[in-house]
Amino acid sequence: MKRTIIYTRQSTSEKNQPNSKELQTHTCLKMAEQNNWVVHEIMHDEVSARTKSSQERKMLTQLLLEVEAGTVERIIVFKRDRIARRAHEYMEIIKLLKEHEVELCFSAANEPPIMPGMISDFLEYILAGMAQLEGNAIHDRKIQSRKIKARDGFWAGGSPPFGYISQQGVLSIDKQKVSSNLEESTKKEYSKADLVGLLFKGFIELWSVNERLDEILTKMKNHPKAVEWKWKDLNIETLQSRLSNRLYRGQLMQKIEGTFLRTMGAENRERIKSLALIEKETWLQANSMLSKTLSLFPLEEKEVINPLFSGLVYCGLCYRPMETKTKYYSCENTECTRRKFQVQIKTIDQSLKKRILDYWESSLDNNSNNELFQRLKVVIIQKCKEEMEQKKSKLQKAESNLIEAYLNENRKVLTDALRNYEGTLIQWKQECEKYELIQKGLDDLLLLIVGHYQSLSFEKREDVAIKIVGGLAEKVLVFPSKEFSIHLHYNLSQVKGNIIGSE
């Protein structure tokens, strides 16, 4: 039985925004009740559709997978912008829904329904474009608002620095005591503001001109008071960012959209100055030491990992997309998180590259009867047919314009229509000839490709294999048993393999 699903999206965790989760859910359920539809599931994403693509939204990705599987009859959303804020993404989703005959319904009273007929796509693109412009305008207003707050000495968004709390942008010193998990007899409680002072004092006392920053940090972590002063939790990035934060000396500088903004106005600057946790001289001394250490012993640049198969890797336990986090593909499903199921990006990418290359080259060795080659021929012919249909449609339109011009006895329009018809007819004939040639010589063409491929270097052969087989891949299921299964489009058999090495 096909299902009716409600999809909602909320871009922030604010409860008072007009398109809140509760409002969306209520209107969608009301629409379902009025039409006697049984709602089988409600899916919700809490993410910005302007900054995140549709593939980065977990529940939307899951919903579209169910659409492709043919299990969905109807989707109810509040408005178009809940599906996507980017016009091209919205149109891709609309195309997918039409292909699988899934009805898309809008529950907002002022949201026009999808119109039937040939003009439907054009109208949807216009409405999607308006939603995209609205999203950009909202973003611009938020950025301007944040810039004004930053210049007025208010916290403009995100978590405030360690040692401070923010209430509606107004910063204050966090004086709440922090537990140190020590025995009651030996425990002394400190506030986060106290811990900032101890961090600067400890860094200055333990600093040495002959030691790297990680060596100084190790000394801090081995200090007798390291647990009590929360130094055990520090890493290089945290240590560096806290020592260099100007707010601790009473200056507020915030980076918004790539621009650094200082607090403006004497009164605002005095208010920020009163929030200092460190004496100016102490801050300058610590940062002079930090600069000297980094100039003598620069930090190693972080390795930038660009996943080759991002968006294709799925968890083999729950069949959900795995997210890329630093060096890992990780499954965010609660059950899988408990098992700490993640795989190194480098490891799985190398394993997939090797297996894809093996699969492709074994296909080349037996290309005449090979399943992959037979399917490639079907795909190429299908693409040619689609191009022929497009040219045929253009020809029919040109023919219709020609007839209309003839009936209206408009000589100028008739001349233009005739010229257009002749050009379109030539294109149509060329497409037909190309189709016939491809049908007759496809086997020879594939053999020619194979011959050229085998003359390439190893790196280029690997690149070709990844582009062809990777392009056919629908998803890659990865299992905790260090096995993976590549699922290919066009009903091709799965390609199975093992992850090289272990983590």
Side-chain angles (χ1 to χ4, degrees):
M1 181 184 71
K2 290 194 173 184
R3 309 192 305 150
T4 294
I5 296 175
I6 289 175
Y7 175 77
T8 61
R9 180 185 64 77
Q10 189 172 4
S11 59
T12 71
S13 57
E14 296 174 12
K15 301 300 179 186
N16 58 348
Q17 61 175 328
N19 293 343
S20 69
K21 178 184 176 182
E22 291 75 18
L23 172 65
Q24 293 177 55
T25 305
H26 173 74
T27 57
C28 289
L29 286 171
K30 187 176 179 182
M31 184 182 201
E33 183 182 356
Q34 289 171 346
N35 290 277
N36 295 318
W37 297 332
V38 176
V39 175
H40 298 85
E41 189 175 355
I42 298 175
M43 295 184 172
H44 177 70
D45 277 318
E46 195 154 313
V47 66
S48 168
R50 199 192 72 85
T51 58
K52 297 287 186 183
S53 68
S54 56
Q55 291 86 359
E56 294 175 286
R57 291 151 60 190
K58 294 180 192 175
M59 299 315 295
L60 180 62
T61 300
Q62 181 65 27
L63 176 58
L64 297 180
L65 284 172
E66 293 195 23
V67 168
E68 288 179 343
T71 62
V72 181
E73 179 183 7
R74 183 181 299 107
I75 298 171
I76 310 174
V77 296
F78 184 66
K79 299 180 82 171
R80 284 170 174 80
D81 61 16
R82 299 302 90 193
I83 291 285
R85 280 274 189 199
R86 300 172 185 174
H88 70 278
E89 285 189 347
Y90 175 77
M91 294 309 297
E92 286 174 5
I93 292 170
I94 288 295
K95 182 182 176 183
L96 178 69
L97 299 184
K98 285 184 176 180
E99 285 174 358
H100 293 272
E101 298 181 351
V102 176
E103 183 183 6
L104 181 61
C105 306
F106 307 114
S107 63
N110 61 346
E111 190 75 357
I114 294 177
M115 303 298 290
M118 293 179 65
I119 202 169
S120 171
D121 285 349
F122 175 71
L123 289 174
E124 286 303 306
Y125 193 81
I126 294 295
L127 292 168
M130 290 169 64
Q132 181 171 328
L133 289 172
E134 181 190 5
N136 292 339
I138 292 169
H139 172 72
D140 291 341
R141 286 197 295 271
K142 285 180 179 178
I143 293 300
Q144 289 305 314
S145 174
R146 288 180 63 201
K147 286 182 176 180
I148 292 168
K149 288 177 74 174
R151 291 194 180 99
D152 288 344
F154 296 100
W155 190 248
S159 300
F162 184 84
Y164 297 93
I165 54 177
S166 171
Q167 292 181 323
Q168 295 184 334
V170 179
L171 288 169
S172 58
I173 296 171
D174 189 352
K175 298 179 180 179
Q176 186 176 353
K177 301 297 181 182
V178 180
S179 173
S180 58
N181 298 322
L182 295 174
E183 294 180 7
E184 291 294 329
S185 58
T186 60
K187 182 167 70 174
K188 181 181 177 182
E189 292 186 336
Y190 298 90
S191 69
K192 288 183 178 180
D194 296 331
L195 294 175
V196 171
L198 291 167
L199 175 70
F200 276 80
K201 181 182 176 183
F203 179 77
I204 292 170
E205 288 179 357
L206 296 173
W207 180 81
S208 169
V209 70
N210 299 317
E211 292 178 330
R212 301 190 311 269
L213 191 58
D214 61 322
E215 292 173 323
I216 298 168
L217 180 58
T218 300
K219 285 199 301 185
M220 293 177 72
K221 288 189 173 189
N222 292 331
H223 191 277
K225 295 281 189 178
V227 175
E228 193 174 344
W229 292 348
K230 299 293 181 184
W231 290 355
K232 290 283 186 184
D233 304 330
L234 293 173
N235 56 39
I236 292 286
E237 290 78 13
T238 308
L239 176 63
Q240 189 179 357
S241 67
R242 286 186 187 173
L243 289 173
S244 58
N245 195 319
R246 288 178 172 269
L247 184 55
Y248 294 140
R249 60 171 280 189
Q251 290 182 341
L252 181 58
M253 183 183 289
Q254 300 178 74
K255 186 178 181 181
I256 300 175
E257 294 284 287
T259 305
F260 286 96
L261 301 171
R262 291 178 179 272
T263 303
M264 305 295 288
E267 187 178 332
N268 291 329
R269 284 198 290 268
E270 282 300 314
R271 175 167 49 82
I272 296 301
K273 195 174 180 180
S274 69
L275 297 174
L277 302 179
I278 304 295
E279 292 291 333
K280 180 181 176 181
E281 292 73 20
T282 304
W283 189 92
L284 289 171
Q285 183 183 1
N287 275 269
S288 174
M289 291 174 169
L290 178 64
S291 297
K292 189 172 287 186
T293 298
L294 294 176
S295 65
L296 292 170
F297 308 103
L299 295 176
E300 292 182 8
E301 289 188 14
K302 282 188 175 181
E303 184 184 8
V304 178
I305 298 176
N306 297 313
L308 288 175
F309 302 96
S310 181
L312 286 176
V313 179
Y314 283 68
C315 173
L317 298 174
C318 65
Y319 296 93
R320 293 185 181 181
M322 297 182 79
E323 295 189 2
T324 52
K325 288 196 170 181
T326 315
K327 297 181 179 180
Y328 294 90
Y329 287 112
S330 302
C331 183
E332 297 301 302
N333 184 17
T334 309
E335 290 298 320
C336 301
T337 305
R338 286 201 196 104
R339 301 187 192 192
K340 296 183 178 179
F341 181 35
Q342 58 182 20
V343 289
Q344 285 186 351
I345 292 172
K346 261 188 173 181
T347 306
I348 187 64
D349 280 2
Q350 287 171 359
S351 303
L352 286 169
K353 279 166 65 176
K354 184 179 183 306
R355 184 66 188 93
I356 284 171
L357 186 62
D358 291 344
Y359 171 70
W360 172 246
E361 297 203 333
S362 66
S363 300
L364 298 184
D365 293 338
N366 185 26
N367 58 70
S368 57
N369 297 311
N370 185 269
E371 178 194 25
L372 174 61
F373 268 73
Q374 295 303 319
R375 183 55 61 182
L376 277 174
K377 286 193 276 186
V378 172
V379 172
I380 291 169
I381 289 172
Q382 182 61 36
K383 290 289 182 186
C384 289
K385 282 183 177 178
E386 288 173 6
E387 288 178 12
M388 280 182 65
E389 286 298 318
Q390 289 175 4
K391 292 288 190 297
K392 184 179 179 181
S393 177
K394 285 184 178 180
L395 182 63
Q396 288 172 340
K397 187 175 180 181
E399 188 178 294
S400 176
N401 291 339
L402 181 63
I403 293 169
E404 186 178 347
Y406 176 76
L407 293 174
N408 291 334
E409 297 182 354
N410 187 324
R411 185 176 292 278
K412 185 180 183 306
V413 175
L414 181 62
T415 303
D416 292 341
L418 183 60
R419 190 180 296 115
N420 180 46
Y421 176 76
E422 287 172 344
T424 309
L425 183 62
I426 290 168
Q427 289 179 1
W428 162 250
K429 287 179 177 178
Q430 288 173 344
E431 200 65 43
C432 290
E433 289 171 3
K434 184 175 80 172
Y435 177 67
E436 287 178 13
L437 284 171
I438 286 175
Q439 268 193 314
K440 290 176 183 177
L442 193 54
D443 285 325
D444 293 334
L445 177 63
L446 289 172
L447 286 171
L448 187 65
I449 292 170
V450 171
H452 175 66
Y453 169 83
Q454 289 171 339
S455 67
L456 298 173
S457 65
F458 174 80
E459 290 76 14
K460 289 195 174 179
R461 290 206 311 272
E462 187 178 61
D463 187 48
V464 169
I466 289 169
K467 283 180 178 175
I468 293 177
V469 181
L472 291 170
E474 179 184 356
K475 67 177 76 167
V476 178
L477 291 179
V478 181
F479 302 90
S481 59
K482 309 299 180 189
E483 296 175 321
F484 61 81
S485 174
I486 306 173
H487 292 241
L488 301 171
H489 287 292
Y490 309 115
N491 299 317
L492 284 164
S493 302
Q494 296 176 25
V495 180
K496 297 184 178 182
N498 295 306
I499 299 173
I500 302 167
S502 58
E503 296 158 34

